[in-house]
Each structure stands twice: as C-alpha cells, then as structure tokens.
Amino acid sequence: MKMLKCRFCQTPLQHVFIDLGLSPLANGYLTADELSSSQTYYPLQVFICSKCLLVQLPDTVSPEILFKEYLYFSSYSDTWLTHARNYAQDMIKRFNLSSSNLVIEVASNDGYLLQYFQQKQIPVLGIEPAENVANAAIKKGIPTKKNFLGEQTAQAIACAATQADLLIGNNVLAHVPDLNDFIKGLKLLLAPDGVLTLEFPYLLDLLKNHQFDTIYHEHFSYFSFLSVEKCLNHHGFDIFDVEQLPTHGGSLRLYIKHQDNKAHSLTGNPDILRKKEQETGLNQLDFFASFAAEIETIKMRLLQFLLEAKQNHKTVVGYGAPAKGNTLLNYCGIRSDLVSFTVDRNPEKQHHYLPGSQIPIQPVDSLYEFQPDYLLILPWNIKDEIIDQMSGVREWGGKFVIAIPELTIIP
C-alpha cells in the first residue's frame, strides 16, 4: 500500500482527523439514464500532518475528473454576486487600480467577479479549467484561459509579459492537489509590486461550527492561518493583512506580497490571528481529537428528525443541490424516502439526481405545487438569502430546517 504523505511538507500521514466513509463525487450529478449504473465511491478520510498541521484529504481522484466539466456556476447565488461586487469595489479603492493595471483571477468560474473590474475599464484575465464554465465566461466577454494553474501554465502566461497587479484566488486553494506547484504558479503570475488575495473556508470555523459537510473530494486541504502561512512563506510570500469573512460559514481573506516587495506595509492583523490560533490550540495535534464524535451527534439528530417527520406523515423537501449537501446526505444515509426531492435555481442541475442518495433535483417552482411541511436548506451558508427568497413557504405553514451547526427549525 502506498504511503500517504503531506502535500506540503511530505511528512507521512498517520493521524486521521475524521473518516466519513465511502462517498461518491459530490458534484457527480446523475441523469435518469445513469440511475441504474453503478456509481464509483471513494474514501472520504481526512488526515492531519503531525509536522505542519495541514488538514488534508489524499488526492484519490484526479483534478481532470473533478473539474473538467463542472456544474457549479457562481452567478446563481445573489449573496455571492454581492460579495464579488463589494470585493471589486474595495480592491479598486484600496490599491488604486485603473485601466493601466491587470487583474487575473485563478479559478474564475463564469466571470462572476471579473465582470465588476471590467465594468470599470480595468483589464482582466480569467484562468478556469472547467470548459463549460470557462465558455460561459468567454460568452460574457471575459478573456479566459482554459487551464489548471501550476508552474508550467504560469510560465506560459508570464512569458507573454502578463503579470497581475492584483491576483485573485477565491475558493480555489482548497481545491488544489499539488499545493506547492500551484503556489509556484501564483509566484510567477504576480507582478513584483502586485498583491495576491486568497479566500478560503477557515478551518477554525469548520471545527467550531461542525461544518463537516464542507469535506468532499474537491477540497483537498483545510487551512488554518498557521498552516497556510507556512506554505506561503516557504515559497517567498508574506501575508501583510488578513480579514475574517462570513462567507461559506466563515472564511479568511489573505493579502499577500512577494517577500522583497516594500510597497505594502504589514498590518497588525496577522499577528493577532496567529496569536489567537496558538492560544486556541490550533498548533497542537490534540486539539483536533474531539471533532469526529461531535459530527456523529449531528448525524443522529438529523436522522431522528427525519424519521419522526415521516412517522407523523410530514413531508420534507430539500433546497439546493450543493456539494456540501451531498456529503451530509451520503454520510447520514438519507435517501428519497426521507427527503422527497430537492430544488435548485441552476438549470444545469435541474432534472438530474444527487450522487449517492439519488434524490431528484427539480426547479424551484415544484415547491409551490408540492407544499412540503419542511424545507431542509442544504447550502446553509446562504440560508438568509434562501429564507428571504422562499418566504412563501410560510403561507401553507411550511418551516425551514438547518442541520449545521446544529439542528434548527425556523418557523
């Protein structure tokens, strides 16, 4: 058996963080014709490196399988579009960006973010490996290269005298199997005085709020500030500022520069967060030991709720078809006998079936015909947006249900 090694420091991986059993790919949505075919399941076992304390999932599935054809389009979330618009406005103001600058986004999806820079006449370039999503961006007029980022891709782009004054990596760092190669690519793409910003779900929030459903095969790494700082420092980057964000249930936004870049001075925020993590215990292996037992409790409470609803002849329908929802449903063993179907705004997902659970995905209008007693919100990170959009559920006495961080019923 091949020895598993840390994707950053190559230390043998011996400590299991959590084992969620076997699971299909979280974005492996099924057509009706595929329901009778066997679906491949992969281990969903997460380790923690004893040396650098990077929490990570071994890369048992190649990125080409995971990302070449992708059904997640960022533009279908109003909350995320607002976040992107605000980010663009803040970066333009903070770094005085203009038509003489270049903004590059890695994993640029359908152009959801770069469009806001382009509207201000700032040149942009997207790098996106999923062909269908990249094509949607190109159709919008967003220049996009259809590639995975690594040292080789970055060399080809940088050779064309293209380096970023602002380089963006929103929710991509966790998706990278070859972490060192990816950071080398970032290093080459960033102009000498440029700024790199990275956003990713924050490990401490995952732990505190029991966000185990954000664990799936597309997420190879789960970062604390301490672990990501080690990775970036090793490759000649310094973090000069950091913000904690509410997105995705709690994220970090890092502001990063080349170590020899004197144009951006260090704020006090990195020191504050580093100290907080050390005091919390994120620099100690023992700190992570209780997480698995807490997750088992969430599973039991959700199953108890669904079984009682069925016994009382109450109907439950899901809202959303996110990857995180598939981790939750498959770990808990939930099928369509407990959740009749789910709905999603994304037409690319409608009339498909969730991987593993085979729960059908229908258009949102189906809710109003079916009028369920409970609406189980699977993308809990945008629950406020969903509850506001779906307030009509209350007209027939329907209630909203959230499973994470704990089972909550909202009238």
Side-chain angles (χ1 to χ4, degrees):
M1 182 177 176
K2 180 182 175 183
M3 178 178 288
L4 299 175
K5 293 185 178 181
C6 173
R7 65 173 34 88
F8 169 58
C9 70
Q10 298 302 301
T11 300
L13 293 175
Q14 299 173 324
H15 299 275
V16 175
F17 170 60
I18 188 168
D19 189 346
L20 298 177
L22 295 173
S23 182
L25 299 183
N27 278 301
Y29 301 94
L30 305 169
T31 64
D33 292 339
E34 293 171 324
L35 289 177
S36 58
S37 303
S38 60
Q39 194 170 8
T40 304
Y41 283 66
Y42 302 89
L44 201 52
Q45 188 177 41
V46 186
F47 293 81
I48 181 167
C49 176
S50 59
K51 182 179 179 182
C52 69
L53 297 184
L54 177 64
V55 175
Q56 57 199 282
L57 187 69
D59 46 331
T60 53
V61 189
S62 77
E64 285 75 18
I65 292 174
L66 291 168
F67 301 116
K68 265 303 181 185
E69 191 74 14
Y70 205 44
L71 292 185
Y72 176 75
F73 287 73
S74 298
S75 293
Y76 286 115
S77 169
D78 295 340
T79 299
W80 193 242
L81 286 177
T82 299
H83 175 73
R85 186 186 302 110
N86 291 340
Y87 168 86
Q89 292 171 349
D90 291 346
M91 296 305 104
I92 290 169
K93 182 177 180 181
R94 178 168 181 173
F95 300 113
N96 197 28
L97 299 175
S98 69
S99 59
S100 63
N101 298 115
L102 175 65
V103 176
I104 299 179
E105 184 182 13
V106 181
S108 50
N109 202 264
D110 59 1
Y112 76 101
L113 171 57
L114 291 179
Q115 64 183 336
Y116 297 116
F117 291 97
Q118 196 176 60
Q119 288 168 10
K120 298 297 183 181
Q121 315 307 315
I122 298 171
V124 300
L125 175 65
I127 303 172
E128 170 57 53
E131 267 195 59
N132 61 319
V133 182
N135 288 336
I138 292 168
K139 193 173 180 180
K140 291 179 183 176
I142 306 293
T144 305
K145 292 188 177 294
K146 301 175 188 178
N147 293 102
F148 290 97
L149 180 68
E151 188 174 15
Q152 186 175 357
T153 299
Q155 283 173 341
I157 295 173
C159 281
T162 303
Q163 285 187 304
D165 299 294
L166 176 63
L167 180 58
I168 306 165
N170 283 352
N171 298 300
V172 61
L173 195 64
H175 293 72
V176 176
D178 192 338
L179 189 59
N180 291 308
D181 182 57
F182 181 79
I183 298 175
K184 287 176 183 177
L186 295 175
K187 186 79 176 164
L188 289 170
L189 279 184
L190 186 63
D193 288 340
V195 173
L196 163 65
T197 69
L198 295 175
E199 290 183 23
F200 48 84
Y202 185 27
L203 177 61
L204 186 55
D205 286 315
L206 184 154
L207 292 164
K208 289 192 304 182
N209 297 316
H210 309 133
Q211 297 166 0
F212 73 95
D213 59 339
T214 59
I215 296 170
Y216 43 91
H217 296 101
E218 291 170 9
H219 286 170
F220 293 103
S221 302
Y222 304 83
F223 295 99
S224 65
F225 180 81
L226 292 170
S227 64
V228 76
E229 186 177 43
K230 288 177 185 175
C231 299
L232 292 167
N233 287 168
H234 178 77
H235 290 282
F237 281 126
D238 278 338
I239 302 169
F240 66 90
D241 198 4
V242 60
E243 297 176 31
Q244 290 187 250
L245 307 172
T247 52
H248 296 289
S251 297
L252 292 185
R253 177 187 292 161
L254 307 181
Y255 294 82
I256 302 155
K257 64 182 182 68
H258 294 295
Q259 287 178 343
D260 57 0
N261 177 356
K262 307 302 181 186
H264 306 286
S265 57
L266 180 70
T267 72
N269 294 327
D271 286 340
I272 293 170
L273 188 55
R274 192 183 302 109
K275 183 179 179 183
K276 175 185 174 182
E277 288 194 355
Q278 291 168 343
E279 291 176 346
T280 302
L282 273 174
N283 58 343
Q284 301 293 327
L285 201 57
D286 293 346
F287 177 78
F288 300 87
S290 64
F291 187 68
E294 294 167 0
I295 296 321
E296 188 71 18
T297 299
I298 290 175
K299 174 181 179 177
M300 293 299 105
R301 287 176 178 169
L302 177 58
L303 284 171
Q304 181 182 4
F305 163 76
L306 292 172
L307 289 168
E308 288 179 357
K310 186 177 178 67
Q311 289 169 355
N312 293 324
H313 307 290
K314 301 292 185 180
T315 51
V316 182
V317 165
Y319 186 99
K324 59 165 54 77
N326 292 325
T327 293
L328 173 70
L329 295 170
N330 284 304
Y331 172 65
C332 295
I334 295 167
R335 301 292 183 264
S336 57
D337 58 331
L338 296 179
V339 176
S340 303
F341 60 90
T342 191
V343 300
D344 200 279
R345 292 174 67 187
N346 183 350
E348 300 283 342
K349 294 182 179 180
Q350 293 167 8
H351 309 298
H352 284 70
Y353 296 80
L354 298 180
S357 68
Q358 297 192 356
I359 293 172
I361 308 169
Q362 298 185 17
V364 175
D365 289 348
S366 301
L367 276 179
Y368 296 94
E369 299 171 20
F370 192 77
Q371 296 190 359
D373 297 294
Y374 297 102
L375 188 63
L376 175 62
I377 298 177
L378 297 174
W380 47 260
N381 52 301
I382 54 171
K383 65 180 184 298
D384 293 337
E385 173 187 335
I386 293 168
I387 290 172
D388 183 57
Q389 289 175 350
M390 305 307 301
S391 59
V393 167
R394 295 186 171 108
E395 293 176 6
W396 63 78
K399 298 177 181 179
F400 301 95
V401 181
I402 312 291
I404 294 172
E406 61 184 2
L407 187 75
T408 306
I409 300 172
I410 304 169

